Amino acid sequence: MIGDLYQSALRYGDTFDESSQDGVRPRPHWEPLMESLHTLGADELARRWSLAERRIRENGITYNIYGDPLGVNRPWRTDIVPFLILEKEWRVIEAGIIQRAELLSCLLEDLYGDQTLLKDGRFPASLLFGNPAFLRPLVGVPVPRHSHLHVLAVDLARSADGQWWVLADRTQAPSGSGYALENRTIVSDLLPELFRTSNVRRLAPFFRAQREALIAMAPCENPRVVLHTPGPHNETYFEHSYLAKYLGFTLVVGADMTVRDRRVYLKTVSGLEQVDVILRRVDDGFCDPLELRGDSLLGVPGLVDAVVAGNVTVANALGSGLIESAATMPFLPGLARHLLGEELKLPSVATWWCGHPRALAWVLNNLESVVLKPAFPSRGMEPVFGSELPEDKKTELIERLLAFPHEYVAQEQVALSTAPVWEDDRLKPRSMVLRTYVLHTADGWKAMPGGLVRVSEANGTVVSMQRGGHSKDAWVLSDRPVDTFSMLRPATEPLELRRASLVVPSGVADNTFWLGRYVERAENMARILRSMVPRVRYADQQELASLMSLHGSLGSRQNKLRMNKRTSPAFAALEREVLSMLTDMDRSDSLPCTLAEVGRVGGNVRERLSADMMLLIGQMRISMQGDKSKAFPEYSVMLTECLELLSAFSGMERENLIRGSGWLFMSLGRRLERAIYITRQLRVITRPLSADNWKYLEYLLEVADSSVTYRTRYYTTLQPLAVMDVLMLDGTNPRSLEFQLDHLVDIYKKLPRYDPSDLKAMQDALDLLRGVDLQGMVYPAPGQPDRRDAGLRRLDRYLADLEKLLPSWSNNLSSRYFSHARTLPINMGQ
């Protein structure tokens, strides 16, 4: 019946086949699935899968493989064929992982408490005190409901005889539950008829219980619960963002929180808000750079002190990574009998901690049949398969084992069971591991029905997402009616309409502000450089002076030109400088580096930007990464293409983004950056221009895209005062200085808790600008004595003061809204 779809295993004959007894006939509980796949046929399955892949891309479902060229943009890989588990089999697994969660919780409570297990000789002291994951500052600190574990993940594998074995316990910040939920959403939509008729146990009740358990950990009503992520470059960042939205909690990085008076606060644009519960996805040691790892940039300084004071709850509790080591496994059977009075229901795969002399001796005599792993995962060692080692490497390994036996664990090499995956329009067997999840609630432990199935890459026996593997949905086929609760409201249920904006963490506001600044900075640089590229090589001596003035308006801090009061730089030197700004990634003020910063800060808030905006950001980042051997004039075309992308982004920003706090900060960043550039450019012409520098007026209008505006108003040659009127005082010109200051004042007033003194400083700057009378000024023509009237001198001083005010105003904005530090008084002339 399924011979046209199923490709029998070639090299897994001695493994357990999850879906078939003989490679041809499916197991009874797999028959409906196989029949359904056969009925749909390869073409329809391919069509449905293409829809799923598009959905994955559009929803930004990603998993970052470190070192992969796609980086954080690598799409999540899942499979259309679910993994099936019978209810009676699941009950055995469920009982085993719940017992294991209770046992590990008791073990952690003792090791961070009275340590009676050490005193009685039931747990090796060297395995505790030699473990870098043992956090001494947390010894004796109570945890909610006496459980260090909020969620436990247990990796299971099935051996050839059908027995499930535990491969690993994930105790500190277990990942994958969000991906399991996303897999369920995707596969149930792809196979809706089969899902409805298979009586599959739902996942939503597990997440409802998790939400309720986290809220119950707080000592107050309506607590603030946050999900602490390492950030956008973490491999599972999408899952963190997805879970935070699904559970209704705020997603934060360490920099979004601060500790004041032994309490943790969330930095938001509305002020500091106390945090009651932290669901962490950051490893233990990185959570507090003061008490734990001093080199961590992911944690919150003072967090441990707040935990010790009992003012915040962290789930899983800090220090729970202590027993994530496989070296704990050999002691669990005895600990289960001692602590629970029960035999271990789910056995661990055979494990030997080499710190025990008899275990070391056995491992040395059986290296070919074991996998060597670090006893302490923080050591970062890759698993070593003894059967694959050449003799010289085996000798080196034996020497290390003898020198540092306590740092190694050996495990039996398990022949993993195989499950079918849909690949190349066929079903193919792949090695698999089932990751299950157990949640601690007020009513006891609760298991997620199913979990996350991870399958190996083609022809691989190692199951690792970092090595190119992918995932499957796990269906527990219930023999009873299932709970159909969903965290999502049914389409037929009316919603309460609301427009209130969500909490905006300071880190989000910071990144959107700098996204606006970097985009505007890149646009200004691209416009200036595009004006220079076609002229540099063919400029006469007069044009060279004007081009030098235009280059000066870039404000480059890494200018490679050798300036001399007596001589001007050669044309070739200016060309090299322009080329450097176009291509040099080592220059922080180059255009490619600025575009890279656009990509960086955009990636930090990608969950708040549309897929189209992120696509544009990615295209911007690579738009100026051309070959350095490219002919110099060709860069004009590249700059035009780059400006098209920047203009498209500006259009999306104006037309597609909700006018919430994020947009306000992005707009502030853009207006502030444009005001800085315009001020710098206008200062050149407040001092009398020489005949050699007169063409600067033409370049200035071109860069500001205001040449047409000037020509339609003044049918005459270029005049400095008229150019200043267009670019400085014309409030209808979106590239004028008055337009920028006016919008800065208007947008700043819309921010929560804005500083009246900072508002007054910007309003004063705007009022002074509007009071400028260009009509009454006399601008000396070229060749005339430099006799600037008082109005021009005052204007020059005003622009000089404004050039200082704008960065200071930006610093105060950052202090007030991003770092929540003290601001300094500022005003024009200070």
Side-chain angles (χ1 to χ4, degrees), residues 529 532-533 536-537 544 548 551 554 556 558-562 568-584 587 589-590 628 632 635:
L529 292 171
M532 297 182 70
V533 167
V536 168
R537 187 167 289 182
L544 181 60
M548 283 301 304
H551 174 268
L554 286 168
S556 173
Q558 297 174 321
N559 189 346
K560 297 181 183 298
L561 291 174
R562 299 297 183 192
S568 299
F571 298 102
L574 182 57
E575 182 177 322
R576 287 195 298 270
E577 165 66 8
V578 171
L579 187 61
S580 173
M581 295 205 69
L582 287 168
T583 61
D584 193 349
R587 284 185 64 163
D589 61 350
S590 70
K628 292 187 178 182
F632 187 71
Y635 284 102

Side-chain angles (χ1 to χ4, degrees), residues 80-265:
I80 195 173
V81 183
F83 173 70
L84 307 183
I85 310 174
L86 287 171
E87 176 74 25
K88 63 179 181 181
E89 185 178 19
W90 173 249
R91 289 184 191 132
V92 175
I93 295 173
E94 183 178 41
I97 59 178
I98 286 178
Q99 181 204 47
R100 198 173 188 91
E102 180 66 25
L103 173 61
L104 294 177
S105 181
C106 291
L107 176 57
L108 278 171
E109 185 174 6
D110 181 82
L111 295 180
Y112 279 102
D114 296 335
Q115 298 182 345
T116 56
L117 295 175
L118 269 68
K119 299 170 186 175
D120 296 342
R122 299 180 183 276
F123 193 88
S126 58
L127 189 56
L128 173 66
F129 298 117
N131 192 337
F134 178 49
L135 305 185
R136 289 163 175 78
L138 277 303
V139 173
V141 178
V143 294
R145 302 194 186 98
H146 302 285
S147 177
H148 284 73
L149 301 178
H150 166 65
V151 172
L152 168 70
V154 182
D155 288 343
L156 303 176
R158 199 200 298 260
S159 57
D161 60 358
Q163 169 70 49
W164 286 101
W165 297 81
V166 176
L167 295 179
D169 301 297
R170 305 299 179 188
T171 58
Q172 62 172 328
S175 64
S177 61
Y179 285 117
L181 179 60
E182 184 62 31
N183 283 351
R184 173 61 55 83
T185 304
I186 292 172
V187 176
S188 61
D189 284 350
L190 291 176
L191 303 172
E193 303 87 357
L194 183 66
F195 184 77
R196 283 196 299 269
T197 58
S198 297
N199 205 33
V200 181
R201 288 186 61 179
R202 305 301 202 264
L203 302 183
F206 176 87
F207 291 99
R208 172 181 58 186
Q210 183 177 22
R211 175 179 168 79
E212 292 172 352
L214 287 166
I215 292 174
M217 288 182 181
C220 59
E221 296 183 1
N222 301 317
R224 166 70 66 193
V225 183
V226 300
L227 194 155
H228 181 193
T229 173
H233 295 287
N234 182 260
E235 57 189 359
T236 56
Y237 178 72
F238 166 79
E239 180 194 26
H240 307 163
S241 174
Y242 181 71
L243 272 182
K245 293 176 183 176
Y246 189 72
L247 297 174
F249 302 144
T250 304
L251 183 69
V252 299
V253 295
D256 289 327
M257 294 181 283
T258 183
V259 175
R260 311 277 175 93
D261 298 324
R262 305 185 80 186
R263 298 180 184 275
V264 179
Y265 292 90

Side-chain angles (χ1 to χ4, degrees), residues 430-474:
R430 294 286 181 265
S431 301
M432 59 146 286
V433 170
L434 171 63
R435 175 167 290 188
T436 56
Y437 299 90
V438 190
L439 169 71
H440 189 258
T441 72
D443 301 321
W445 296 94
K446 181 181 181 65
M448 175 192 290
L452 178 69
V453 178
R454 295 173 295 153
V455 294
S456 67
E457 59 182 331
N459 301 321
T461 57
V462 177
V463 177
S464 169
M465 302 300 290
Q466 280 292 320
R467 297 189 180 186
H470 53 288
S471 64
K472 298 169 72 69
D473 188 16

Side-chain angles (χ1 to χ4, degrees), residues 638-809:
M638 292 180 63
L639 287 165
T640 298
E641 293 173 352
C642 178
L643 283 168
E644 289 173 356
L645 295 172
L646 289 162
S647 297
F649 183 87
S650 299
M652 285 190 180
E653 178 243 313
R654 285 192 295 270
E655 300 298 329
N656 294 0
L657 289 185
I658 298 296
R659 268 36 178 181
S661 294
W663 178 84
L664 291 177
F665 281 100
M666 188 184 297
S667 296
L668 279 173
R670 298 204 66 164
R671 298 301 170 194
L672 184 64
E673 191 71 22
R674 188 175 292 184
I676 290 172
Y677 267 84
I678 294 173
T679 302
R680 197 183 293 143
Q681 291 162 357
L682 287 172
R683 285 201 67 192
V684 176
I685 56 177
T686 56
R687 298 167 185 144
L689 294 173
S690 65
D692 291 347
N693 221 9
W694 206 260
K695 288 187 72 69
Y696 175 76
L697 299 172
E698 176 188 337
Y699 303 159
L700 192 55
L701 288 170
E702 181 181 303
V703 168
D705 202 17
S706 300
S707 299
V708 174
T709 301
Y710 186 90
R711 286 199 303 268
T712 56
R713 292 183 184 176
Y714 307 104
Y715 299 98
T716 183
T717 56
L718 294 175
Q719 304 245 350
L721 292 177
V723 171
M724 279 193 275
D725 184 60
V726 171
L727 299 183
M728 188 169 63
L729 297 179
D730 186 356
T732 64
N733 181 4
R735 292 195 172 273
S736 74
L737 183 58
E738 181 178 342
F739 190 93
Q740 314 316 314
L741 299 187
D742 183 52
H743 277 67
L744 284 172
V745 169
D746 182 61
I747 296 170
Y748 188 69
K749 287 191 293 188
K750 295 177 181 177
L751 294 180
R753 61 187 194 89
Y754 65 81
D755 188 337
S757 61
D758 280 2
L759 177 63
K760 183 178 184 303
M762 191 58 69
Q763 184 66 61
D764 288 346
L766 177 60
D767 292 341
L768 287 171
L769 180 63
R770 286 173 172 167
V772 172
D773 179 18
L774 291 177
Q775 193 69 46
M777 295 183 188
V778 177
Y779 200 96
Q784 293 182 351
D786 180 6
R787 294 178 181 175
R788 286 182 291 169
D789 63 14
L792 275 177
R793 287 196 297 271
R794 285 195 300 271
L795 181 57
D796 186 42
R797 286 197 300 270
Y798 167 82
L799 292 175
D801 291 342
L802 183 62
E803 196 172 0
K804 297 176 183 176
L805 174 72
L806 291 171
S808 298
W809 194 80

